[in-house]
Amino acid sequence: DTGVSQDPRHKITKRGQNVTFRCDPISEHNRLYWYRQTLGQGPEFLTYFQNEAQLEKSRLLSDRFSAERPKGSFSTLEIQRTEQGDSAMYLCASSPSGEETQYFGPGTRLLVL
Amino acid sequence: SQQGEEDPQALSIQEGENATMNCSYKTSINNLQWYRQNSGRGLVHLILIRSNEREKHSGRLRVTLDTSKKSSSLLITASRAADTASYFCATDWYSSASKIIFGSGTRLSIRP
């Protein structure tokens, strides 16, 4: 296993469309995180899973955003009715229990036209 | 909102020189981490320092932590072109054992 993978790497969509991103964490990492990063800023926490349970959600995660991790392995982040302000890099990270270090994927860059 | 703020926002130095970046944060922490991000890519963990530690080394990296001033510094010695990247400090969130909060980053450029 070579690390956290994310798919797609880039996504261009029109305003109002729905998009879904996938994250495959490092095997046996039971913690999974989603972040959003805009140009010139640090990553902002969106949500966190421990196994299949979504334990925390940021207020940034409006009702248009939903994340799942149905079997405690891969996760999906869906954005409904995309807006231009959703344009950003979406980063996924994973970590094993008891370890503070997070291992990041390459990100999915979203552009909403 | 972001817990940490890095200073300076941008830094340009000659290859071979040392680079120092600072991070200030607002609330009590259990640990502080530094991450590096190359242009347009994911973040890579560099080093973690716990609240009961004052200094830590890893290769060419030296991190200090002053909990009384709520600040940390990252020193990169003998910089190389490959060190060109953005550097972020990240602190754990007091009310959450798993969540970390990133600062806005320092963009480091190494001139050949």
Side-chain angles (χ1 to χ4, degrees):
Chain A
D1 194 311
T2 56
V4 178
S5 61
Q6 293 186 245
D7 183 68
R9 295 291 306 277
H10 300 91
K11 179 72 176 179
I12 300 174
T13 191
K14 293 182 179 179
R15 191 175 50 189
Q17 298 294 305
N18 299 344
V19 294
T20 300
F21 309 141
R22 176 178 170 126
C23 170
D24 286 89
I26 294 172
S27 297
E28 299 177 5
H29 279 193
N30 58 354
R31 293 178 175 177
L32 187 147
Y33 309 82
W34 284 99
Y35 294 86
R36 181 173 68 189
Q37 186 179 26
T38 53
L39 201 61
Q41 298 297 315
E44 293 180 293
F45 172 82
L46 292 179
T47 190
Y48 152 63
F49 289 86
Q50 174 123 349
N51 300 311
E52 65 275 11
Q54 188 173 22
L55 297 186
E56 274 195 69
K57 287 172 61 172
S58 164
R59 278 176 255 177
L60 293 173
L61 216 63
S62 74
D63 56 4
R64 295 186 299 105
F65 288 70
S66 62
E68 294 183 342
R69 194 182 183 199
K71 296 181 180 178
S73 55
F74 73 92
S75 175
T76 58
L77 177 69
E78 181 182 18
I79 309 174
Q80 296 183 326
R81 305 182 303 281
T82 52
E83 302 172 356
Q84 288 183 323
D86 297 330
S87 295
M89 173 82 89
Y90 290 83
L91 293 163
C92 176
S94 69
S95 68
S97 282
E99 185 174 326
E100 296 91 346
T101 299
Q102 294 184 16
Y103 300 82
F104 281 80
T108 294
R109 188 172 293 281
L110 173 66
L111 177 61
V112 181
L113 302 176
Chain B
S1 64
Q2 296 185 307
Q3 156 85 307
E5 291 296 330
E6 283 90 340
D7 172 61
Q9 291 187 339
L11 179 61
S12 179
I13 61 172
Q14 204 77 28
E15 192 168 12
E17 293 180 338
N18 295 343
T20 300
M21 289 158 269
N22 302 296
C23 168
S24 59
Y25 56 92
K26 299 173 186 173
T27 62
S28 297
I29 61 172
N30 296 308
N31 61 71
L32 183 146
Q33 303 179 58
W34 285 89
Y35 286 80
R36 182 187 72 221
Q37 185 177 36
N38 292 93
S39 179
R41 298 187 183 180
L43 284 81
V44 175
H45 178 259
L46 295 176
I47 196 165
L48 178 149
I49 186 165
R50 301 196 183 279
S51 59
N52 61 353
E53 297 175 311
R54 291 296 167 259
E55 188 171 310
K56 203 163 183 180
H57 298 253
S58 176
R60 294 184 297 114
L61 306 180
R62 182 176 80 107
V63 169
T64 63
L65 180 63
D66 186 335
T67 53
S68 67
K69 295 181 179 177
K70 292 187 170 58
S71 68
S72 174
S73 69
L74 172 67
L75 168 68
I76 304 174
T77 60
S79 63
R80 305 168 181 169
D83 295 329
T84 294
S86 291
Y87 292 81
F88 298 92
C89 67
T91 53
D92 61 333
W93 196 242
Y94 181 72
S95 63
S96 166
S98 305
K99 181 174 157 183
I100 60 174
I101 304 295
F102 286 87
S104 51
T106 292
R107 289 177 295 284
L108 176 64
S109 297
I110 308 298
R111 302 190 303 271

